[in-house]
């Protein structure tokens, strides 16, 4: 749903200009320094990017899902690590509190998340529980007016820097499945919360992950999200529904950027006396990538509109994540191919994007998990 087309166009134009004029020129610096330049972080905060999908009453821009998807497509046209910092805040870091938090929890944390004063993270994955997230082992044991957390969370985006963590932990040891899990808000400076060293990743340099280790970490009982035990896994799944649409939109943006990079290169370079773009086998790659990026855009916007209309879109969100993450992988592969040897060289953006996009098929539910979710929902619907 687009509430005010003129206002949204202005926002998308502003973001598009910011991407073109400020972020794209700093992509190499981002990768080389493995950090978002501080002045760009400040500009992102001033533009409201940390509060895109946070309701206006908490100081965010309160975008609908369709509006957020259109913005995420624009942001996708530059290195995904730029998005990772604020996307995590708007998305998996804040949504648990927003969707299921008590009014007091929302009032205490969400306004500061919306401005970027607080940076947040989402802690679900563990060393022995990834795709099978419901088997997680981190424990939270009630002790008076606190819970005591013990366990390790793995590959946590924003982990090295975050001020606030949404942590899924088992409060009922007799229930080994989803029903035994609760979600907690844990402040980054709580004694007993430790951060492992930053992971050395394949791509998306500038976005950081690390282990988050809880050793007798005492969290106030009022920090259990929604005030009730046993709801945490459901909260995590609701958060991921929205996150999957957001990530799908980012994949579309990256794919559109790669189509543009491929086309420009194919027009500039000549082989056998003609432009690469005049060779039909190159044209086939360009056409396939353009078509797939368009298909991704169309399906993400359709699912987003349905979500705004109140439809339950878990299955469609998984369809989008499955298609768009795989699609951008194919588009990146073709982009390298169109560039030939240059595509293998760090000097060209496509080499970096080729590594960056690999992650989309893995996090927020792997491709195989999306397939399982879609098929499970299909079978459940008819039976
Ligand atoms: C850079 C990065 C950032 C991340 N950020 C976060 C974060 O902020 N918060 C967080 O909680 N997690 C985060 N993750 C973790 C991510 O969500 C998990 O890595 C992902 O869910 C997969 O889990 P796993 O790595 O344990 O792989 P596994 O679950 O061990 O899967 C290995 C392979 O087996 C397949 N597989 C597993 N089960 C099945 C099955 N039943 N049927 C068929 N195939 C199956 C998988 O698809 C995959 O191909 C991040 C990961 C990375 C790499």
């Amino acid at each position: 749903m687009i509430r005010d087309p003129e206002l949204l166009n202005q926002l998308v134009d502003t973001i598009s200009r910011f991407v073109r004029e400020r972020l794209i020129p700093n992509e190499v610096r981002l990768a080389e320094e493995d950090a978002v330049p501080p002045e760009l972080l400040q500009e992102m905060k001033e533009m409201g990017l940390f509060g895109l999908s946070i309701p206006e009453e908490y100081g965010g821009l309160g975008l609908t899902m369709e509006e957020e998807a259109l913005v995420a497509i624009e942001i996708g046209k530059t290195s995904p690590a730029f998005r990772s910092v604020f996307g995590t805040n708007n998305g998996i870091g804040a949504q648990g509190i927003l969707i299921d938090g008590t009014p007091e929890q929302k009032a205490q944390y969400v306004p500061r998340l919306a401005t970027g004063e607080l940076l947040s993270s989402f802690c679900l994955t563990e060393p022995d529980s990834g795709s099978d997230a419901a088997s997680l082992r981190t424990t939270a044991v009630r002790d008076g007016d606190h819970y005591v957390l013990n366990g390790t969370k793995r590959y946590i985006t924003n982990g090295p820097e975050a001020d606030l963590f949404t942590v899924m932990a088992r409060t009922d040891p007799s229930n080994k499945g989803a029903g035994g899990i609760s979600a907690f808000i844990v402040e980054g400076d709580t004694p007993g919360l430790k951060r492992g060293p930053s992971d050395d990743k394949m791509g998306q340099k500038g976005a950081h992950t690390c282990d988050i280790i809880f050793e007798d970490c005492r969290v106030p009982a009022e920090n259990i999200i929604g005030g009730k035990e046993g709801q945490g896994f459901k909260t995590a799944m609701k958060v991921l529904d929205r996150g999957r649409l957001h990530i799908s939109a980012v994949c579309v943006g990256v794919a559109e950027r790669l189509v543009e990079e491929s086309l420009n290169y194919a027009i500039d370079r000549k082989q056998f006396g003609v432009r690469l773009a005049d060779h039909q086998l190159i044209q086939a790659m360009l056409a396939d990538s353009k078509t797939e990026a368009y298909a991704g855009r169309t399906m993400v916007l359709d699912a987003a509109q349905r979500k705004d209309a109140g439809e339950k879109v878990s299955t469609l969100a998984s369809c989008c994540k499955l298609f768009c993450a795989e699609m951008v992988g194919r588009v990146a592969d073709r982009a390298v191919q169109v560039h030939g040897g240059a595509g293998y060289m760090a000097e060209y953006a496509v080499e970096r994007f080729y590594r960056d996009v690999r992650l989309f098929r893995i996090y927020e539910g792997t491709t195989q998990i999306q397939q399982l979710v879609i098929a499970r929902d299909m079978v459940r619907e008819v039976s």
Side-chain angles (χ1 to χ4, degrees):
M1 179 177 53
I2 294 175
R3 294 160 303 167
D4 181 336
E6 206 172 305
L7 264 183
L8 182 71
N9 280 344
Q10 275 172 18
L11 177 68
V12 171
D13 280 353
T14 305
I15 289 174
S16 177
R17 214 172 32 252
F18 180 63
V19 165
R20 264 195 330 271
E21 293 174 6
R22 301 290 294 137
L23 300 186
I24 292 179
N26 278 292
E27 284 175 352
V28 172
R29 183 176 163 206
L30 169 80
E32 281 177 0
E33 295 178 3
D34 192 13
V36 177
E39 70 277 12
L40 293 181
L41 209 55
Q42 188 53 35
E43 286 174 50
M44 290 174 187
K45 288 180 184 173
E46 284 161 13
M47 287 174 74
L49 296 182
F50 280 78
L52 281 177
S53 54
I54 293 177
E56 283 161 307
E57 58 182 303
Y58 298 112
L61 298 183
L63 299 188
T64 64
M65 193 68 237
E66 186 181 4
E67 292 168 345
E68 183 183 329
L70 287 163
V71 165
I73 290 173
E74 284 313 304
I75 291 166
K77 293 179 184 170
T78 183
S79 292
F82 282 126
R83 180 219 65 93
S84 182
V85 186
F86 63 83
T88 308
N89 242 35
N90 280 286
I92 58 177
Q95 288 295 325
I97 308 176
L98 265 174
I99 296 172
D100 282 340
T102 61
E104 295 74 28
Q105 289 167 348
K106 291 183 197 178
Q108 188 177 350
Y109 294 110
V110 177
R112 287 185 290 156
L113 287 168
T115 56
E117 181 192 333
L118 290 181
L119 195 65
S120 63
S121 275
F122 176 80
C123 300
L124 181 63
T125 305
E126 298 182 356
D128 292 318
S129 118
S131 299
D132 183 13
S135 71
L136 63 81
R137 292 192 194 159
T138 295
T139 54
V141 176
R142 183 84 192 226
D143 180 24
D145 54 5
H146 281 75
Y147 282 89
V148 183
L149 269 61
N150 279 289
T152 297
K153 296 292 178 178
R154 180 134 294 171
Y155 310 141
I156 302 306
T157 302
N158 280 354
E161 301 91 6
D163 307 290
L164 200 67
F165 296 85
T166 300
V167 183
M168 270 48 73
R170 192 166 301 283
T171 40
D172 179 0
S174 68
N175 184 337
K176 303 277 181 226
I181 296 171
S182 304
F184 293 88
I185 303 166
V186 184
E187 297 188 6
D189 57 1
T190 312
L193 184 156
K194 298 185 178 141
R195 302 165 205 245
S198 247
D199 299 316
D200 189 6
K201 310 194 310 318
M202 175 193 287
Q204 300 215 10
K205 302 286 181 195
H208 307 139
T209 63
C210 71
D211 277 6
I212 301 295
I213 304 136
F214 300 96
E215 285 176 1
D216 293 330
C217 178
R218 293 178 69 81
V219 177
E222 70 251 25
N223 280 21
I224 191 164
I225 292 184
K228 260 199 313 216
E229 288 189 6
Q231 301 301 309
F233 195 74
K234 282 192 196 141
T235 299
M237 293 305 112
K238 284 186 238 172
V239 168
L240 289 176
D241 262 8
R242 188 172 185 118
R244 283 169 184 166
L245 283 178
H246 178 94
I247 290 291
S248 305
V250 173
C251 290
V252 170
V254 177
E256 292 182 357
R257 164 78 184 275
L258 289 170
V259 169
E260 192 186 318
E261 294 280 342
S262 305
L263 181 61
N264 289 341
Y265 189 81
I267 286 173
D268 279 351
R269 182 167 167 82
K270 280 188 177 166
Q271 284 298 284
F272 298 96
V274 295
R275 301 178 305 182
L276 289 178
D278 296 322
H279 291 291
Q280 288 189 339
L281 294 177
I282 295 287
Q283 291 177 351
M285 287 194 271
L286 294 173
D288 284 352
S289 291
K290 171 89 182 165
T291 305
E292 290 205 277
Y294 174 57
R297 177 182 268 267
T298 307
M299 71 194 286
V300 170
L301 293 179
D302 174 70
Q305 284 161 9
R306 289 171 188 267
K307 183 167 175 34
D308 288 337
E311 242 180 79
K312 192 170 174 305
V313 296
S314 305
T315 318
L316 295 183
S318 284
C319 294
C320 289
K321 169 74 168 51
L322 167 61
F323 179 79
C324 293
E326 292 286 328
M327 174 276 287
V328 74
R330 292 190 292 272
V331 170
D333 189 69
R334 289 187 204 109
V336 170
Q337 199 65 18
V338 167
H339 281 69
Y344 202 69
M345 299 296 150
E347 188 189 338
Y348 288 83
V350 294
E351 181 272 342
R352 196 180 54 246
F353 277 107
Y354 181 78
R355 288 181 286 109
D356 287 348
V357 302
R358 191 62 186 81
L359 179 58
F360 294 128
R361 290 154 67 186
I362 296 171
Y363 71 176
E364 301 210 14
T366 63
T367 285
Q368 289 69 38
I369 293 306
Q370 307 308 330
Q371 289 173 317
L372 293 179
V373 169
I374 296 163
R376 181 200 62 200
D377 292 354
M378 289 166 69
V379 172
R380 194 179 279 165
E381 204 168 301
V382 287
S383 47

